[in-house]
Amino acid sequence: IGKNQDYSFKVTVNEGYNGSDMVVKVNENEITSNNGVYTVTDVTESLVITVEGIVKKEVLSVTAPIGEGFTFSGKDTVYKNEDYAFTISVDEAFNASDMVVKANETVLVGSMGKYTVPAVSENIVITVEGVVAKTIYTVTLKEGEGYTISGQNTSYADESYTFTVSVDDTIYWADKIEVFVDGEKVTLTNGKYTFAEEYTDIDGVAD
C-alpha cells in the first residue's frame, strides 16, 4: 500500500469458531469495523494486523431416534449454546396421533413435523414414542353389468374411504343407480361416494 493511502480489510470467522469476543488490532491499537469492514486511514508506516478472542466452538453429539414408522432428518452434531433443529416425518401407514418426541426426556412441541431444541448445553438423545401401525381393511369392489367401480383395494381404520361409480348411460339410467356399502345405502356427493367408517364389501345395483 502507498504511503498516506487508506487500507481496508475484512475478518471472516471460520465455521466452527466463535467470534463474539473477537478483537482486531493494527499495530497494537484496537480498531472497530463499519459493517464488517476495517479501515486504516492515511497509512504512514507498515501495518501489523492481529486478531484475538476467536475460540473454537464446543461440539456436542446428537443421538437420532430409533423406531419404525417415521423418518428422522437432522445433523448428528450441534455447537454448544446454539439451537438444534430437526424434522420427524411419519410414514403414511402409521398413526402419529399419540406421538411424543423428546430430547433428553424433555417433551418437545413441534409444528408441521419440525422441532427445535434451544440453546443446547449438553449432548442430545432424541426419542420418538407412540407411533403405531394403522389397521388396514380390505375393500371388495363388486363389479356388475352396466357400471364400473373405481377405488383403492384397502383402507386405513378410522379414515374415510372414497370411490366412484361409472355407469354406461347408453344402456342404463345413471340417475337410477343405487350404491350400498355392507348393506347400507350411500349417497353421491360431487360425483363420488364417501363414508367415514370402514367396510369390507361394496355392492352397486342399477335399477
Side-chain angles (χ1 to χ4, degrees):
I1 182 176
K3 189 175 181 179
N4 301 122
Q5 292 183 345
D6 295 346
Y7 178 75
S8 297
F9 62 95
K10 291 183 177 181
V11 177
T12 302
V13 179
N14 294 337
E15 172 69 22
Y17 288 81
N18 189 332
S20 60
D21 295 325
M22 180 177 69
V23 176
V24 178
K25 294 181 179 180
V26 177
N27 294 346
E28 297 302 322
N29 296 311
E30 186 174 342
I31 184 174
T32 58
S33 66
N34 182 10
N35 293 323
V37 178
Y38 298 85
T39 302
V40 183
T41 60
D42 191 24
V43 176
T44 59
E45 60 182 338
S46 297
L47 305 178
V48 177
I49 300 171
T50 57
V51 179
E52 305 171 357
I54 294 180
V55 295
K56 192 170 185 178
K57 295 179 180 179
E58 183 178 349
V59 179
L60 301 175
S61 67
V62 177
T63 302
I66 299 174
E68 64 173 357
F70 64 88
T71 301
F72 169 85
S73 298
K75 296 181 178 180
D76 57 5
T77 59
V78 60
Y79 293 123
K80 188 174 183 178
N81 297 323
E82 294 189 5
D83 295 349
Y84 178 74
F86 63 95
T87 60
I88 299 291
S89 302
V90 179
D91 299 344
E92 181 184 2
F94 287 76
N95 191 328
S97 60
D98 295 324
M99 182 176 72
V100 177
V101 178
K102 297 180 181 179
N104 294 348
E105 297 303 318
T106 298
V107 176
L108 301 178
V109 179
S111 175
M112 304 295 291
K114 298 180 180 179
Y115 298 83
T116 300
V117 183
V120 178
S121 60
E122 59 183 341
N123 295 330
I124 304 173
V125 176
I126 298 172
T127 57
V128 176
E129 305 169 358
V131 177
V132 296
K134 295 178 180 178
T135 299
I136 300 177
Y137 292 118
T138 299
V139 178
T140 302
L141 302 172
K142 286 192 173 182
E143 296 291 345
E145 182 179 356
Y147 67 90
T148 301
I149 301 179
S150 301
Q152 298 294 323
N153 292 323
T154 58
S155 179
Y156 295 121
D158 302 318
E159 295 184 8
S160 61
Y161 177 81
T162 300
F163 63 97
T164 59
V165 178
S166 301
V167 180
D168 184 356
D169 55 12
T170 62
I171 302 175
Y172 295 91
W173 294 100
D175 59 350
K176 299 295 185 180
I177 191 171
E178 292 183 326
V179 177
F180 295 85
V181 176
D182 279 359
E184 295 186 13
K185 185 177 179 179
V186 293
T187 57
L188 180 69
T189 303
N190 295 324
K192 295 182 178 181
Y193 298 90
T194 301
F195 48 92
E197 297 180 5
E198 306 307 325
Y199 298 88
T200 57
D201 192 31
I202 296 175
D203 289 321
V205 179
D207 292 336

